[in-house]
Amino acid sequence: MENGAARTVPAVIVAIDGPSGTGKSSTSKAVAAKLGLSYLDTGAQYRAITWWMVSNGIDITDPTAIAAVAGKPEIISGTEPSAPTITVDGTDVAAPIRTQEVTSKVSAVSAVPEVRTRITELQRSLATSAENGIVVEGRDIGTTVLPDADLKIFLTASPEARAARRSGELKGADVNSTREALLKRDAADSSRKTSPLAKADDAVEVDTSDLTLQQVIECVVTLVEEKRAAK
């Protein structure tokens, strides 16, 4: 395809929301790669700022302390779907942000309004500067971060399916304890005052409980292509 032809494809902003264990990251990355879009894992940004807070000895139980330093770390997200990167103050944090310590604290940090404001601004600037369009995945993208996204998708799955997937990712994890942890995080994220986890009114809901990853990807690719064709 010539460059001129490639540029005629309209840029689309796709918001993919949903709780953990629904296949959100795998789907979003694959769809972005397949359609030549940028990709942003917003959860990684919240994990990154949480990692920074933990590393700098900030009291995670004190929202005022968190708010006071929310603007300090420099967080840079690479949006290449085949190799997304994330750095904090120049340090590659892709691995350390996935530790259990960070996972257990991310809901508390991300509930602080000043943190959400800071990260939301980052997310919006990345989305608007993506020339060919972008797939942005998270928990409040369609409702708060990008309410005018061209396409909003909300992935769901039964707690059992989600726990099985997540414990498969966390090698050796117990399915029951993983399920409890997922439900606890859902409750925290759905009930927070600032930008709770919620399905946008105009989002397309896709239940992934009984679908293979490939089926979910195909479903979302079709939705994006339809939206692109209609632009």
Side-chain angles (χ1 to χ4, degrees):
M1 191 184 276
E2 292 173 5
N3 285 341
R7 274 201 295 272
T8 61
V9 178
V12 283
I13 292 179
V14 182
I16 299 185
D17 289 306
S20 7
T22 52
K24 215 168 39 182
S25 294
S26 307
T27 299
S28 300
K29 271 189 270 202
V31 169
K34 199 164 184 175
L35 297 176
L37 305 173
S38 297
Y39 160 75
L40 178 61
D41 173 3
T42 63
Q45 295 176 312
Y46 284 107
R47 285 173 174 275
I49 201 165
T50 301
W51 173 86
W52 185 89
M53 299 276 174
V54 171
S55 301
N56 285 276
I58 308 301
D59 182 356
I60 301 301
T61 63
D62 183 355
T64 309
I66 293 171
V69 293
K72 284 195 168 182
E74 183 188 30
I75 299 167
I76 296 179
S77 298
T79 57
E80 171 56 49
S82 59
T85 57
I86 186 152
T87 62
V88 179
D89 296 335
T91 301
D92 177 357
V93 294
I97 63 171
R98 301 292 169 186
T99 60
Q100 188 53 43
E101 185 180 23
V102 170
T103 300
S104 65
K105 295 182 168 72
V106 71
S107 283
V109 173
S110 60
V112 176
E114 288 80 0
V115 169
R116 297 206 77 79
T117 299
R118 163 87 203 285
I119 301 293
T120 296
E121 284 170 359
L122 263 177
Q123 292 163 2
R124 284 179 179 153
S125 67
L126 283 165
T128 52
S129 62
E131 286 183 16
N132 296 324
I134 190 167
V135 177
V136 184
E137 60 131 318
R139 289 167 175 250
D140 66 338
I141 311 306
T143 50
T144 303
V145 180
L146 300 168
D148 297 325
D150 297 300
L151 176 64
K152 300 174 189 178
I153 293 167
F154 194 84
L155 296 185
T156 62
S158 68
E160 290 71 25
R162 292 166 51 207
R165 279 182 196 141
R166 189 41 65 94
S167 57
E169 291 166 18
L170 307 166
K171 299 292 178 272
D174 173 61
V175 174
N176 287 331
S177 59
T178 303
R179 180 176 179 274
E180 291 307 310
L182 284 175
L183 292 173
K184 188 176 170 190
R185 182 155 177 219
D186 287 351
D189 291 351
S190 301
S191 60
R192 63 171 178 243
K193 288 190 175 66
T194 310
S195 305
L197 163 66
K199 174 177 174 266
D201 292 339
D202 54 348
V204 179
E205 186 166 325
V206 179
D207 188 328
T208 69
S209 304
D210 301 320
L211 300 177
T212 64
L213 176 60
Q214 202 50 48
Q215 287 172 320
V216 179
I217 292 165
E218 284 166 13
C219 171
V220 175
V221 163
T222 302
L223 289 168
V224 177
E225 286 178 330
E226 284 171 358
K227 185 57 69 172
R228 224 159 42 173
K231 281 196 94 176

